[in-house]
Amino acid sequence: MNLILLGAPGAGKGTQAELLMERLHIPSISTGNMLREAIKNGTDLGKQAKVYMDGGLLVPDALILGIVAERVAQPDCANGFILDGVPRTLAQAEALDARGVEIHHVLSIEIDDGIIEGRMTGRRVCAKCGASYHIVANPPKTEGVCDICGGELVSRQDDAPETVRRRLEVYHASTEVLKDYYARQGKLRLIRGDQSIEGANQEILTAIGAKE
């Protein structure tokens, strides 16, 4: 089952991707995590992406699609995958279709901008593995320490208030058109983001026909 998760920054895509990965036994492909890893390692791609990400802007399609194409060709994606953070533009969606990347369901997590701004001030990310937490909604077992790898949890620069507002502006201008695109294909499923993590996950499982 090949899935796409849509939603504004801070809508909960990363958290839901982790839950779906465990439930469906397919990998979650987060372009954000892959880009941040490239930045951390100082690769050419990372240096190019850093300029855009630090300004709260979208990374160009050519960089994103190159990463995705390589990733979905890996053996662990043979039985399905979850795309988190891509496509973000209509051009990216069309390019994925043109490349023959089949998508079965597109899940759009719907939530007001004001709630998102409040959420992101409490978001923490593992500096080592990229796992996402929230100090209220999804706290780690030990404050400041990743449950998965024991790495340090940090606040990302792109979670700063002014950057969050800019990212939301970019999202509404560029990404929401994707809902119309996938709705026309009969693949769009709207998920309420203003509920508990467990509630949203159950709504997703029902929408894709995977609820036990």
Side-chain angles (χ1 to χ4, degrees), residues 44-73:
D44 289 341
L45 173 60
K47 292 174 182 176
Q48 295 176 54
K50 187 176 189 300
V51 176
Y52 296 91
M53 294 179 69
D54 283 351
L57 303 174
L58 296 179
V59 177
D61 290 353
L63 298 181
I64 292 294
L65 294 177
I67 291 174
V68 174
E70 290 180 356
R71 185 64 185 88
V72 299

Side-chain angles (χ1 to χ4, degrees), residues 135-198:
I135 58 176
V136 175
N138 183 35
K141 294 176 182 178
T142 302
E143 184 177 352
V145 179
C146 178
D147 294 346
I148 300 172
C149 72
E152 179 187 5
L153 300 185
V154 298
S155 296
R156 296 191 336 221
Q157 182 176 345
D158 53 357
D159 285 341
E162 61 276 11
T163 305
V164 170
R165 286 190 286 271
R166 174 57 181 161
R167 292 173 72 196
L168 288 171
E169 290 174 3
V170 171
Y171 171 77
H172 291 302
S174 303
T175 313
E176 285 199 321
V177 297
L178 292 174
K179 290 194 289 187
D180 290 336
Y181 180 76
Y182 287 116
R184 289 194 296 270
Q185 296 182 7
K187 299 175 180 178
L188 183 68
R189 309 288 183 265
L190 301 181
I191 306 299
R192 284 180 47 236
D194 59 343
Q195 59 181 315
S196 68
I197 292 172
E198 294 78 11

Side-chain angles (χ1 to χ4, degrees), residues 5 12-23 26-30 82-84 109 201 204:
L5 286 179
K13 298 187 300 297
T15 298
Q16 292 302 327
E18 290 174 8
L19 294 174
L20 290 170
M21 179 172 58
E22 181 178 348
R23 171 65 174 80
I26 57 178
S28 172
I29 303 172
S30 170
I82 304 162
L83 292 182
D84 171 14
I109 302 176
N201 186 247
I204 288 172

Side-chain angles (χ1 to χ4, degrees), residues 36-111:
R36 281 187 285 274
E37 184 67 19
I39 291 172
K40 178 181 176 181
N41 293 335
T43 66
D44 289 341
L45 173 60
K47 292 174 182 176
Q48 295 176 54
K50 187 176 189 300
V51 176
Y52 296 91
M53 294 179 69
D54 283 351
L57 303 174
L58 296 179
V59 177
D61 290 353
L63 298 181
I64 292 294
L65 294 177
I67 291 174
V68 174
E70 290 180 356
R71 185 64 185 88
V72 299
Q74 297 300 312
D76 65 334
C77 291
N79 293 323
F81 53 82
I82 304 162
L83 292 182
D84 171 14
V86 67
R88 284 184 172 176
T89 65
L90 183 58
Q92 288 181 2
E94 292 172 340
L96 286 177
D97 285 346
R99 287 171 179 260
V101 179
E102 184 178 9
I103 300 299
H104 301 111
H105 299 287
V106 179
L107 305 155
S108 179
I109 302 176
E110 305 288 302
I111 190 166

